[in-house]
Amino acid sequence: MKKLISVIASAVIVSGLIATCSGQGKLGNASQQQLPTEDSVIVTDSEIVRGRVIEDTVIGHWTVKTTKDSNEVVVGRDDWAVRDSSVFLTLSYDNKVVYFDKEIRTKDVVGNEGEYMMQWGGYVFWASDSAIYLSFGCFLPDTDDGWNMLYQILPDGTSNLSVLEYEMGVDGNSYIADFMALYLNERAVGASAADLKRLYEHFCTKELAEELSATTLPIVSDDTDFRHADRTLQINNLDELNGLPLEKYSFEVKYKPNPNDDNVTDILYMEVDGATNKISKIETGERKVI
């Protein structure tokens, strides 16, 4: 997994939903509560999350409810600490229960717990007929050092994690990262042409969306291992970072199409329109073989 240093970009929420992020901070002057841990660290009442509803909505085939609640894990160092949280998910597809009160912890997102804490989680990021995507952010307490993740869930309960490769301070980067993560994971589950069209229309200019919907040539070749491409995705800014706004932001997007041959790299060239924050160009580049 790739370690990212970033602040999450504006989340893409279907049906006009807006995902807001909830952070955890250092100890203040609130009344303190003793936690039963080996080091007897202290956390304040303000750090305890008690059953807060994150989402409770119906989107297409999906009915989703997520709540956030503190768990027993304490994350911190020196003279301050915070209580970690879990997200509890109840999810249905066409009124058939997929998960009931499923607990999702920091370790389920980043592989371990006690170092990073779940700063936010359980917001609906995107939904299609094939899958629903929840956003999670796990960070070192009181820092922007951590992971922005998508938790993809299929109607049969199968799940998959995707890292959003944001680069702080690079205009246009987040739109490329969000689009490519969703595109590759939608392709991996065989998303319909209608769902891909909706994805194009959300992230791309009208002209590019129409071109992508009409063409028989995919952005990524059909013989690509889409999961492996997502895991190996690299987004490189091609503009000089001079701090000035640009009309177009240019990027080179690299990925490995074949998990059995990491000597092969495919390249895309993409542009983001600075006025609309929409992707305005996608060009297939070269295939490099080392």
Side-chain angles (χ1 to χ4, degrees), residues 95-110:
N95 297 318
K96 180 180 179 181
V97 175
V98 178
Y99 294 141
F100 180 77
D101 208 28
K102 174 183 174 66
E103 182 179 13
I104 303 174
R105 300 170 67 103
T106 297
K107 66 181 180 181
D108 299 316
V109 180
V110 299

Side-chain angles (χ1 to χ4, degrees), residues 71-76 84-86 103-118 138:
N71 59 39
E72 78 285 358
V73 175
V74 174
V75 185
D84 201 3
S85 298
S86 298
E103 182 179 13
I104 303 174
R105 300 170 67 103
T106 297
K107 66 181 180 181
D108 299 316
V109 180
V110 299
N112 56 62
E113 57 189 5
E115 180 182 7
Y116 296 92
M117 62 173 296
M118 190 178 293
C138 296

Side-chain angles (χ1 to χ4, degrees), residues 23-281:
Q24 306 289 345
K26 292 184 179 180
L27 293 179
N29 296 321
S31 61
Q32 295 180 329
Q33 175 180 340
Q34 184 75 36
L35 290 177
T37 67
E38 293 181 2
D39 297 329
S40 296
V41 294
I42 302 297
V43 299
T44 64
D45 288 341
S46 64
E47 304 297 347
I48 307 300
V49 179
R50 297 183 176 91
R52 179 159 53 88
V53 176
I54 304 299
E55 293 279 13
D56 190 357
T57 190
V58 177
I59 303 175
H61 296 274
W62 302 94
T63 302
V64 56
K65 182 175 182 179
T66 56
T67 59
K68 187 179 180 183
D69 208 340
S70 291
N71 59 39
E72 78 285 358
V73 175
V74 174
V75 185
R77 48 185 190 267
D78 299 330
D79 59 345
W80 59 275
V82 291
R83 182 82 76 87
D84 201 3
S85 298
S86 298
V87 166
F88 294 87
L89 170 63
T90 296
L91 183 68
S92 298
Y93 185 87
D94 286 342
N95 297 318
K96 180 180 179 181
V97 175
V98 178
Y99 294 141
F100 180 77
D101 208 28
K102 174 183 174 66
E103 182 179 13
I104 303 174
R105 300 170 67 103
T106 297
K107 66 181 180 181
D108 299 316
V109 180
V110 299
N112 56 62
E113 57 189 5
E115 180 182 7
Y116 296 92
M117 62 173 296
M118 190 178 293
Q119 190 163 331
W120 70 81
Y123 294 99
V124 176
F125 192 87
W126 189 260
S128 68
D129 289 350
S130 301
I132 192 167
Y133 301 79
L134 304 181
S135 66
F136 287 84
C138 296
F139 293 82
L140 297 175
D142 203 39
T143 75
D144 296 325
D145 186 351
W147 304 77
N148 295 301
M149 307 289 292
L150 288 184
Y151 198 106
Q152 181 199 53
I153 305 167
L154 278 57
D156 65 359
T158 303
S159 62
N160 181 68
L161 286 168
S162 177
V163 179
L164 292 174
E165 189 184 334
Y166 296 140
E167 186 173 352
M168 186 167 56
V170 178
D171 290 326
N173 173 274
S174 63
Y175 303 103
I176 301 292
D178 291 347
F179 174 76
M180 289 303 298
L182 289 171
Y183 174 79
L184 290 170
N185 282 284
E186 284 286 271
R187 290 292 308 276
V189 297
S192 67
D195 275 333
L196 291 176
K197 181 175 184 291
R198 188 164 56 85
L199 189 68
Y200 301 150
E201 291 173 343
H202 189 95
F203 283 95
C204 304
T205 61
K206 180 180 178 181
E207 295 76 15
L208 179 59
E210 290 176 349
E211 182 181 347
L212 292 173
S213 297
T215 185
T216 57
L217 296 175
I219 298 170
V220 173
S221 63
D222 290 336
D223 61 355
T224 297
D225 185 306
F226 301 110
R227 298 289 195 206
H228 189 67
D230 180 49
R231 288 191 294 269
T232 58
L233 192 70
Q234 295 181 24
I235 303 171
N236 301 314
N237 175 46
L238 298 179
D239 304 311
E240 292 186 7
L241 297 179
N242 55 14
L244 299 176
L246 301 175
E247 291 185 2
K248 304 287 184 181
Y249 297 95
S250 303
F251 297 89
E252 177 190 65
V253 179
K254 296 181 177 181
Y255 59 90
K256 305 288 187 180
N258 185 351
N260 298 316
D261 189 354
D262 276 349
N263 292 322
V264 178
T265 300
D266 281 354
I267 301 174
L268 299 171
Y269 294 101
M270 304 176 71
E271 286 185 355
V272 174
D273 185 287
T276 62
N277 290 326
K278 297 276 190 176
I279 300 169
S280 57
K281 180 188 293 186

